[in-house]
Amino acid sequence: MAASNVSSRARELRRQIAQHDRLYYEEAAPKITDREYDALLRELCDLEDAHPDLATPDSPTHRVAGKPLEGFSQVRHRAPMQSLDNTYSLEEADEFMARVERLLPGIKLRWTIEPKVDGVALSLTYRDGLLELAATRGDGSTGDDVTQNIRTIRSIPLRLEGDIPDLIEIRGEVYLPKKKFAALNEEREKEGNALFANPRNAAAGSLKLLDSSIVAKRGLSAVFYGLGAVEGGKATLAQSELLHWLRKIGLPVVPKFWEADDEAGVRQAIAALEKIRHDFDFETDGAVIKLDEFKRREQTGSTSKAPRWAMAFKYEAERARTQLKDITVQVGRTGTLTPVAELEPVPIAGSRVARATLHNEEEIARKDIRVGDWVFVEKAGEVIPAVVGVDTKARTGREKKFKMPEKCPSCGSKVFRDPELTAVRCINPDCPAQIRRRIEHYAARGAMDIEGLGEAMVDQLVTAGLVVALPDIYALNAENVSALERMGEKSTANLLTAIDDSKKQSLWRLLFGLGIMHVGASVARKLADKFHTLDKIAAASVEELESTEDVGAVVAKEIHDFFRLAHNRKLIETLRTRGLNFGERDERAAPASQELAGETWVITGTLSRPRDEFSELIRRHGGNVSGSVSKKTSYVLAGEEAGSKLEKAQSLGVPVVDEATLRGRLKP
Ligand code: IVH
């Protein structure tokens, strides 16, 4: 390549990498696979290696990951947090080991092989055995102080056991277990929030939350595999010992590792790990091969980016090839039309995949996906099926390009394009598909909690024409409900009672149930706490709404607009005539007592009733409820299996009480 071509290619690669970094780290919405990204980075590294004069100080090849966040304070790592060189080829893995052997001639080497945990890198600092700091990698030398959030992870001990050096940095990964990830996305979908692309992004997003009580609910986990700085004492001499030792002093470690003393042994370990890698509760996209003995590591040293003594071998993502039979269009609660790939079912990574979301029209055009195509399907983050590409060689010419319908597939009214959101929406408030979704959401456990009003029941009610809009559920009677399929006397009575009881639900549940875009349960609570009645929220200006915690300009405008649409006003007025609680009846608006006034409570552990109920009880008696224990906490209400919060309370001398004690104080 001519010099000018080389430099323009390098510039182009840097631009693309920066763009994908932004999509990945800041928007949590990657557009290319890890493999494609690695290929770009590799090409740039190779160009810079061959033409060192081209390497600019800001080249992504010098950087490890992301940039520091705002909102967290910055901390310097005592020892840098490096990255790893990686490869998809077993030959290159052999070459790596041969290279290390050349650096250490005549020495018998031992290797350890561990799963590469696809999480967020974390460094813990323990001083005198106590957890002092938890920090993200940041740029490798400076990261974010995420101690408050990390303290919510129960498996991370606040105090280490045994003979611990005066100061020690321990390195590992925070991750969101696969099951928790699936549940989180399901909940976000219900609340109308953007989904996380994979567990890694969900973990990164969770660590960025400024409210650690929300972090605690996410259920993060962590595993550890390495050391940073060690002062005033000795740790271990080799990786295999380190993993045992870390476990002994109380830290969770990678659940399995292998030892090998030559290339063949390493290959066997890589193959063994590949067989079981889907069984871990974290995602694993590779194996990390490490030189076992620490003193040998010192002899090989590091480059500016990565150690010479370790390398990551990455597995190919499991993908399947199948035929795209059709593209259907789903209508969501807010009217957004989403194209869905209807696939000839194929097994991938342990389950049968028959459908995959195609996100939007642009995505389909970008990948040039046509009905009838043979497509490649992968599981994004091993969980969500995604069409990653088309086998264009298999095209017959009979494939059909997809066009978003001009009319809503459910109600037939004209759809509108929202260019900002690359979304197409049906804005007919009476669209049956939207009504179904809206009622399902309204009745869901997290909202109005109407037992018996699930997907199947809603479907029957809407199909039978008994329910055309939300308030209609309050006009149902024994006669028309019992006429539905499988509705005996008892189930009819139960459903009607549950519907009637929902009229008394607190304001935040109603507000959340209304399904205003971006108003999830937690925002709904904050609005209810601030304004007390639905009428005050409906009348509030954008500025007033925006002054609520967690409500930004976009959300404030969305809420404001919602209450100004004629059909929503009508909906609210009809709900009022049905006798729903608009907040006047909330215990919060009419406190039961001031017994707990001025006190801040933290609730932890398993109690006899959901924690929500205890929060409401405390608030009703004038108290505040907070998510994390500090010196300002008045009391900790602890149930069974209370973990780190209990420990923190004890270490700060905050009084800990049980349910009976709390109730005792609230007796009239
Ligand atoms: S050892 C000097 N072991 O992968 C760096 N890293 O892509 C030593 N990772 O920066 C890292 N699992 O954040 C090591 N078993 C494992 C790992 C692991 C995941 C992460 C780590 C590293 C990144 C490189």
Side-chain angles (χ1 to χ4, degrees):
M1 231 190 278
S4 67
N5 284 349
V6 176
S7 83
S8 74
R9 177 67 188 153
R11 216 175 312 122
E12 172 59 17
L13 286 166
R14 268 177 222 132
R15 191 193 62 76
Q16 286 189 16
I17 291 167
Q19 183 199 352
H20 291 302
D21 276 344
R22 193 175 45 72
L23 287 167
Y24 192 101
Y25 291 107
E26 282 163 44
E27 291 175 27
K31 284 236 160 84
I32 57 173
T33 63
D34 284 1
R35 188 183 180 138
E36 287 163 338
Y37 179 88
D38 289 341
L40 294 175
L41 200 58
R42 167 68 72 103
E43 186 184 343
L44 182 59
C45 279
D46 289 349
L47 280 182
E48 288 181 2
D49 283 348
H51 306 268
D53 50 310
L54 278 183
T56 57
D58 66 336
S59 176
T61 56
H62 303 308
R63 181 160 81 126
V64 185
K67 60 172 184 211
L69 306 160
E70 282 169 44
F72 289 98
S73 52
Q74 305 287 297
V75 280
R76 275 196 86 77
H77 303 302
R78 286 186 168 76
M81 289 180 82
Q82 291 178 299
S83 183
L84 286 173
D85 284 333
N86 67 54
T87 179
Y88 286 86
S89 127
L90 287 168
E91 289 71 40
E92 283 189 15
D94 286 348
E95 276 165 33
F96 147 72
M97 287 180 273
R99 215 163 36 238
V100 176
E101 276 157 18
R102 280 199 299 279
L103 287 169
L104 303 170
I107 299 170
K108 186 85 200 112
L109 301 179
R110 276 203 322 270
W111 303 95
T112 57
I113 299 88
E114 293 163 14
K116 182 169 190 306
V117 183
D118 200 8
V120 179
L122 185 73
S123 180
L124 300 179
T125 307
Y126 285 88
R127 189 191 289 279
D128 301 325
L130 288 177
L131 179 63
E132 177 179 79
L133 174 74
T136 60
R137 177 162 55 192
D139 64 6
S141 50
T142 305
D144 292 311
D145 177 347
V146 288
T147 316
Q148 277 302 95
N149 286 346
I150 289 302
R151 280 180 190 278
T152 69
I153 302 177
R154 290 214 185 165
S155 55
I156 296 184
L158 300 176
R159 177 195 292 278
L160 297 177
E161 279 162 35
D163 193 12
I164 314 290
D166 298 345
L167 183 134
I168 185 164
E169 283 180 335
I170 294 167
R171 303 283 161 80
E173 300 289 299
V174 186
Y175 65 95
L176 189 65
K178 290 188 245 176
K179 284 216 176 89
K180 295 253 156 79
F181 165 70
L184 174 64
N185 257 357
E186 205 171 291
E187 186 188 313
R188 291 177 71 84
E189 176 144 45
K190 281 198 193 127
E191 297 188 0
N193 289 322
L195 301 189
F196 287 114
N198 54 45
R200 204 198 109 84
N201 285 326
S206 303
L207 279 187
K208 281 190 207 172
L209 291 170
L210 292 168
D211 180 346
S212 30
S213 66
I214 304 176
V215 182
K217 291 195 193 114
R218 295 262 166 105
L220 294 168
S221 292
V223 286
F224 297 88
Y225 48 67
L227 292 179
V230 179
E231 293 167 14
K234 281 229 154 34
T236 56
L237 302 174
Q239 183 70 12
S240 43
E241 282 170 43
L242 174 70
L243 295 174
H244 290 297
W245 184 71
L246 289 176
R247 178 169 303 150
K248 210 175 87 200
I249 62 177
L251 286 157
V253 294
V254 281
K256 194 151 172 65
F257 71 97
W258 289 260
E259 293 172 75
D261 43 34
D262 56 14
E263 279 82 347
V266 170
R267 281 193 182 211
Q268 268 172 20
I270 289 175
L273 172 59
E274 180 160 28
K275 282 212 185 76
I276 59 167
R277 70 185 180 108
H278 296 298
D279 304 341
F280 301 126
D281 70 343
F282 49 78
E283 298 205 298
T284 325
D285 57 354
V288 185
I289 311 166
K290 298 178 183 174
L291 194 54
D292 191 31
E293 282 178 277
F294 295 164
K295 79 165 181 259
R296 302 289 173 225
R297 290 183 181 180
E298 278 167 31
Q299 290 170 296
T300 67
S302 297
T303 67
S304 61
K305 306 157 216 165
R308 289 202 186 85
W309 47 262
M311 179 170 232
F313 172 84
K314 292 225 199 164
Y315 299 107
E316 296 286 344
E318 260 185 73
R319 63 160 61 179
R321 184 175 169 276
T322 188
Q323 199 163 23
L324 177 64
K325 295 190 299 185
D326 198 5
I327 296 178
T328 55
V329 175
Q330 264 182 3
V331 186
R333 170 159 62 82
T334 53
T336 307
L337 269 54
T338 308
V340 178
E342 305 289 343
L343 304 162
E344 186 58 41
V346 276
I348 311 173
S351 74
R352 181 175 158 280
V353 174
R355 308 183 88 201
T357 169
L358 292 168
H359 304 288
N360 55 51
E361 220 178 355
E362 271 189 4
E363 179 86 359
I364 298 176
R366 195 175 65 81
K367 293 183 178 154
D368 189 21
I369 299 171
R370 305 180 193 178
V371 174
D373 265 338
W374 283 86
V375 293
F376 298 108
V377 183
E378 278 179 14
K379 279 198 189 158
E382 287 178 38
V383 186
I384 305 167
V387 175
V388 293
V390 175
D391 183 356
T392 44
K393 285 196 217 84
R395 280 208 172 133
T396 61
R398 286 193 297 275
E399 294 76 15
K400 282 202 214 64
K401 285 204 178 176
F402 171 78
K403 249 189 96 219
M404 216 40 166
E406 295 298 318
K407 288 184 175 152
C408 169
S410 172
C411 68
S413 53
K414 195 170 171 329
V415 296
F416 284 83
R417 265 157 218 281
D418 184 338
E420 252 169 72
L421 296 166
T422 56
V424 174
R425 285 171 75 183
C426 165
I427 56 162
N428 169 15
D430 301 321
C431 168
Q434 289 182 55
I435 292 170
R436 281 194 179 86
R437 300 281 109 76
R438 279 205 295 268
I439 295 172
E440 279 163 29
H441 168 79
Y442 181 83
R445 179 139 3 121
M448 294 296 268
D449 193 15
I450 307 180
E451 214 179 310
L453 197 52
E455 211 177 303
M457 190 66 217
V458 171
D459 189 48
Q460 283 206 62
L461 291 169
V462 175
T463 311
L466 291 176
V467 172
V468 180
L470 250 183
D472 296 340
I473 62 173
Y474 295 104
L476 293 170
N477 58 43
E479 204 182 319
N480 51 31
V481 172
S482 62
L484 297 171
E485 242 173 79
R486 270 175 310 190
M487 290 303 282
E489 211 174 294
K490 187 137 181 262
S491 36
T492 301
N494 286 345
L495 178 64
L496 293 174
T497 310
I499 291 175
D500 204 50
D501 284 350
S502 75
K503 293 179 184 168
K504 297 198 279 287
Q505 286 289 24
S506 18
L507 173 61
W508 73 264
R509 287 182 174 271
L510 172 64
L511 192 59
F512 174 43
L514 289 175
I516 305 168
M517 275 246 250
H518 309 304
V519 178
S522 115
V523 166
R525 266 179 210 274
K526 296 203 166 125
L527 289 165
D529 278 354
K530 183 176 157 94
F531 293 94
H532 305 305
T533 71
L534 191 64
D535 291 319
K536 288 200 187 122
I537 298 171
S541 66
V542 174
E543 293 71 37
E544 284 169 318
L545 291 164
E546 215 182 316
S547 68
T548 313
E549 204 186 331
D550 287 351
V551 175
V554 177
V555 184
K557 184 165 180 316
E558 200 70 58
I559 301 167
H560 184 262
D561 291 355
F562 178 91
F563 288 107
R564 267 139 206 89
L565 282 178
H567 63 88
N568 288 336
R569 286 185 177 246
K570 203 175 118 212
L571 165 77
I572 305 288
E573 286 321 305
T574 322
L575 288 175
R576 192 195 307 276
T577 63
R578 300 278 196 252
L580 269 87
N581 170 28
F582 276 17
E584 313 78 9
R585 265 195 261 161
D586 272 7
E587 296 89 350
R588 169 92 199 178
S593 83
Q594 284 301 321
E595 175 65 31
L596 310 179
E599 296 179 3
T600 300
W601 286 70
V602 172
I603 307 177
T604 183
T606 313
L607 299 157
S608 64
R609 313 275 317 145
R611 282 193 202 170
D612 273 3
E613 284 188 21
F614 286 94
S615 307
E616 292 201 21
L617 184 70
I618 291 167
R619 292 206 178 98
R620 213 164 6 114
H621 289 272
N624 281 313
V625 179
S626 155
S628 52
V629 181
S630 72
K631 273 182 244 145
K632 292 193 197 117
T633 311
S634 321
Y635 293 95
V636 167
L637 172 62
E640 274 170 36
E641 285 174 49
S644 59
K645 285 186 194 169
L646 177 59
E647 283 175 34
K648 175 114 191 245
Q650 286 161 344
S651 72
L652 291 174
V654 173
V656 177
V657 304
D658 61 7
E659 277 182 55
T661 314
L662 172 64
R663 290 195 197 279
R665 278 190 61 192
L666 302 178
K667 281 234 179 71

